[in-house]
């Protein structure tokens, strides 16, 4: 058949275009010729709004002309992207190595013949897992479950926490006949009154279980029934850390005391089967905590036979300077589960053997992931290691933090609370209105940034974000701060 040859020919043409675009765009700075969003984006948005809600759409993108650290909008504006599709692009746009990986016959077969991995996995599936997800497994993990996205990764990790908790309650035995019959009526004991503890200002997804844990913006949750599960305060540190050590230590102890109290308060109501935490609360405002806090949290989980689940959907895959953010905590033992998605190309979670379901179909959907994503992840890992991108992330992070501190000294009433690890960086503006003006000013100068929390700006650049891009970002930020002041 000639279909495969036609597909390969078109992909090869696209690969040549992308490589050319990479080279061309790296020779120029951001270039903005229209308002952003421009007239083409506005027209496209108007058309799309006739068939679906477009309230969240910023502008339309020409992905074929986007390259490296730059995104190209529908109006031809070249924009330095420090937000990268909500922190989900590891190597920038149209990376030549990823295009080559996607162009292979194996990849094309995976796209055309997407398998139901839970029942009909391809013959090389284990090899793909070994070369991708298992090759960069967090220390202490040898098992992984692939999923499609972040929220379904969290959702299914919660299920595993409940499975383990109930098996322990039954003395290691599986479900009884009463469990099996009562669950069909949504009644105990088969549908038990158990809970998961999460933190205020956390974001863990938008499906029913994960949405009950999410506590960032009311619009995410309003009108939707939620599980009655406990929530406690996450530490709110003050910066610079060195000047606020006593306050920050007390703040973390306060948060841990709330966790301890919750275990006691809920044990006769809806026992806490697990605790889930982000290494850095991203959507909620880039809120950090110290390794001591996370070690203390894990200890409380162990004392109460609750799963310790680390949600690395945003922080995983190198953005903090280590492949997994929780590596910096020096935990006495690994977490029970670690969820991932975004820069990892695929969703899923790592789990300890005791949390692995015994029966088939307990963690299941039609596709349970996507083999083509493993191909892209394997190549991404290769590029990260070959090009020493974790070192670049650390170096770029230092440049950005240093530049922000200099700007804070110039504009102390406007910019504050500089914080970050690697290029996973944020800072505060004095209020939401100031943030909105600054973001639009920067976008009009050709730099896209993201927002989080009540008044923070967050940076989520690709791992290839280098010194030149740091300088362009800082220059744009200073120009916009001058305009505001």
């Amino acid at each position: 058949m000639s279909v495969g040859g036609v597909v390969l020919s078109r992909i090869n043409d696209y690969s040549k275009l992308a490589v050319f675009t990479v080279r061309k765009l790296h020779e120029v700075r951001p270039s903005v010729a229209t308002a952003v969003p421009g007239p083409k984006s506005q027209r496209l948005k108007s058309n799309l709004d006739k068939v679906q809600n477009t309230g969240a759409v910023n502008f339309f993108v020409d992905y074929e002309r986007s390259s490296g650290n730059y995104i190209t909008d529908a109006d031809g504006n070249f924009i330095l992207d420090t937000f990268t599709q909500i922190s989900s692009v590891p190597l920038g746009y149209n990376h030549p190595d990823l295009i080559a990986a996607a162009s292979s016959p194996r990849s094309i077969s995976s796209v055309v013949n997407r398998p139901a991995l839970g029942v009909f996995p391809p013959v090389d599936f284990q090899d793909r897992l070994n070369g991708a997800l298992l090759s960069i497994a967090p220390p202490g993990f040898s098992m992984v479950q692939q999923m499609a996205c972040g929220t379904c990764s969290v959702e299914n990790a919660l299920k595993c926490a409940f499975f383990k908790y109930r098996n322990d309650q039954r003395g290691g035995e599986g479900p009884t006949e009463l469990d099996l019959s009562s669950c069909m009526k949504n009644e105990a004991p088969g549908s038990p009154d158990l809970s998961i503890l999460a933190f205020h200002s956390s974001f863990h997804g938008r499906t029913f279980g994960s949405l009950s844990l999410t506590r960032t913006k009311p619009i995410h949750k309003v009108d939707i029934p939620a599980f009655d599960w406990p929530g406690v305060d996450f530490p709110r540190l003050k910066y610079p850390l060195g000047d606020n050590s006593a306050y920050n230590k007390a703040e973390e102890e306060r948060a841990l005391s709330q966790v301890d109290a919750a275990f006691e308060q809920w044990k006769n109501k809806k026992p806490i089967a697990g605790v889930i935490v982000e290494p850095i609360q991203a959507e909620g405002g880039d809120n950090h905590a110290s390794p001591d806090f996370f070690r203390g949290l894990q200890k409380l989980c162990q004392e109460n036979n609750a799963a310790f689940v680390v949600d690395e959907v945003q922080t995983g895959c190198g953005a903090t300077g280590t492949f997994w953010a929780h590596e910096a905590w020096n935990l006495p033992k690994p977490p029970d589960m670690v969820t991932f998605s975004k820069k990892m190309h695929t969703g899923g979670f790592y789990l300890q053997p005791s949390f692995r379901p015994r029966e088939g179909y307990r963690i299941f959907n039609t596709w349970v992931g996507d083999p083509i994503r493993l191909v892209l992840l394997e190549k991404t890992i290769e590029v990260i290691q070959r090009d020493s991108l974790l070192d670049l992330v650390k170096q770029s992070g230092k440049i950005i933090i240093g530049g922000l501190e200099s700007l804070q000294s110039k504009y102390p009433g406007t910019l504050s609370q500089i914080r970050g690890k690697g290029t996973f960086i944020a800072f505060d503006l004095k209020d939401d209105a100031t943030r909105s003006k600054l973001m639009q000013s920067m976008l009009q100068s050709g730099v896209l940034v993201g927002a989080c929390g009540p008044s923070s700006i967050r940076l989520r650049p690709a791992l290839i974000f280098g010194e030149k891009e740091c300088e362009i970002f800082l220059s744009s930020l200073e120009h916009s701060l001058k305009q505001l002041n």
Side-chain angles (χ1 to χ4, degrees):
M1 294 179 65
S2 61
V3 174
V6 172
V7 172
L8 279 172
S9 175
R10 288 178 178 173
I11 290 178
N12 287 334
D13 289 343
Y14 178 54
S15 178
K16 292 175 184 177
L17 171 64
V19 172
F20 169 76
T21 307
V22 168
R23 183 169 60 249
K24 181 178 179 181
L25 283 181
H26 274 300
E27 295 170 357
V28 301
R29 299 174 64 86
S31 175
V32 177
T34 73
V36 183
K40 290 183 180 179
S41 270
Q42 293 182 29
R43 184 168 62 253
L44 289 168
K45 182 175 180 178
S46 178
N47 290 337
L48 182 61
D49 194 67
K50 297 173 184 176
V51 296
Q52 67 182 53
N53 185 288
T54 58
V57 173
N58 288 358
F59 55 79
F60 281 73
V61 178
D62 185 341
Y63 285 102
E64 292 188 13
R65 295 186 61 204
S66 300
S67 186
N69 290 298
Y70 287 86
I71 191 169
T72 305
D73 74 0
D75 293 273
N77 298 307
F78 299 144
I79 299 168
L80 180 64
D81 188 0
T82 75
F83 197 42
T84 59
Q85 311 296 317
I86 320 175
S87 190
S88 65
V89 180
L91 302 180
Y93 297 101
N94 289 316
H95 194 286
D97 287 294
L98 294 188
I99 289 176
S103 304
S104 70
R106 183 178 74 160
S107 297
I108 294 171
S109 175
S110 296
V111 172
V112 174
N113 308 296
R114 185 176 182 181
L117 289 171
V119 285
F120 302 112
V123 293
D124 62 350
F125 186 51
Q126 182 64 50
D127 292 337
R128 296 189 187 193
L129 287 175
N130 290 340
L133 290 171
L134 292 174
S135 72
I136 40 81
F141 285 93
S142 60
M143 292 186 175
V144 68
Q145 175 64 62
Q146 194 185 7
M147 283 287 153
C149 66
T151 188
C152 59
S153 302
V154 169
E155 197 82 14
N156 284 281
L158 303 184
K159 291 180 183 179
C160 287
F162 290 133
F163 298 158
K164 165 73 160 51
Y165 196 88
R166 286 291 289 137
N167 284 341
D168 289 347
Q169 287 183 324
R170 292 188 290 255
E173 299 297 324
T176 65
E177 286 300 321
L178 179 58
D179 292 327
L180 295 173
S181 61
S182 60
C183 78
M184 298 304 292
K185 296 179 284 185
N186 295 338
E187 297 175 353
S191 298
D193 281 331
L194 299 175
S195 64
I196 300 291
L197 183 145
F199 291 88
H200 299 148
S201 298
S202 63
F203 185 92
H204 297 291
R206 297 173 184 265
T207 49
F208 273 93
S210 59
L211 188 60
S212 294
L213 305 172
T214 291
R215 294 178 171 90
T216 49
K217 299 175 182 177
I219 196 64
H220 297 157
K221 297 170 68 74
V222 68
D223 296 332
I224 302 170
F227 292 110
D228 181 19
W229 289 351
V232 299
D233 290 342
F234 192 80
R236 291 301 178 97
L237 306 187
K238 291 184 177 180
Y239 298 86
L241 294 174
D243 296 343
N244 296 280
S245 57
Y247 173 90
N248 290 340
K249 181 179 180 181
E251 177 69 1
E252 292 187 339
E253 289 174 351
R254 183 183 70 85
L256 288 174
S257 69
Q258 289 188 13
V259 176
D260 193 21
F263 274 115
E264 180 66 24
Q265 293 165 2
W266 286 73
K267 68 179 181 181
N268 295 319
K269 180 182 178 183
K270 292 183 179 180
I272 297 170
V275 174
I276 187 167
V277 65
E278 300 163 90
I280 302 169
Q281 286 190 325
E283 171 80 10
D286 267 35
N287 305 313
H288 292 243
S290 73
D292 283 342
F293 171 79
F294 292 107
R295 288 193 291 265
L297 184 61
Q298 184 185 48
K299 184 172 183 291
L300 288 173
C301 290
Q302 293 170 347
E303 291 172 351
N304 291 277
N305 191 36
F308 180 48
V309 184
V310 179
D311 185 350
E312 293 242 28
V313 166
Q314 274 218 35
T315 51
C317 200
T320 64
T322 54
F323 204 94
W324 302 103
H326 78 268
E327 292 179 56
W329 301 344
N330 295 316
L331 296 172
K333 61 177 293 187
D336 294 311
M337 287 177 277
V338 175
T339 62
F340 58 84
S341 189
K342 290 191 180 282
K343 281 185 172 66
M344 293 283 286
H345 294 287
T346 183
F349 57 100
Y350 297 95
L351 67 166
Q352 298 299 337
S354 60
F355 288 85
R356 172 178 167 170
R358 299 175 183 177
E359 304 87 5
Y361 293 99
R362 301 209 78 183
I363 300 297
F364 190 82
N365 55 48
T366 299
W367 286 317
V368 202
D370 191 350
I372 183 62
R373 300 299 164 185
L374 297 180
V375 174
L376 296 176
L377 176 58
E378 184 173 3
K379 180 57 67 172
T380 295
I381 295 165
E382 178 186 318
V383 173
I384 289 172
Q385 295 170 345
R386 182 195 71 199
D387 297 347
S388 302
L389 293 185
L390 296 185
D391 290 336
L392 179 63
V393 166
K394 295 173 185 175
Q395 294 164 9
S396 295
K398 290 179 181 178
I399 294 172
I400 294 171
I401 291 289
L404 289 173
E405 290 174 344
S406 176
L407 290 173
Q408 180 179 244
S409 66
K410 294 181 181 179
Y411 305 98
T414 304
L415 190 153
S416 64
Q417 295 288 95
I418 299 164
R419 56 205 183 272
K421 290 181 172 63
T423 55
F424 203 103
I425 293 170
F427 55 92
D428 287 1
L429 280 304
K430 62 182 180 181
D431 52 41
D432 179 46
T434 301
R435 175 177 63 182
S436 296
K437 292 177 183 177
L438 184 75
M439 291 179 66
Q440 185 58 40
S441 174
M442 293 188 69
L443 182 58
Q444 203 56 52
S445 72
V447 177
L448 174 64
V449 296
C452 64
S455 60
S456 298
I457 283 181
R458 56 173 160 168
L459 305 183
R460 299 293 184 269
L463 305 179
I464 62 171
F465 202 82
E467 182 177 356
K468 178 180 178 182
E469 288 78 27
C470 293
E471 292 171 354
I472 293 171
F473 160 73
L474 290 168
S475 176
S476 172
L477 175 58
E478 181 167 22
H479 174 74
S480 295
L481 287 168
K482 287 180 180 178
Q483 289 185 327
L484 290 177
N485 288 271

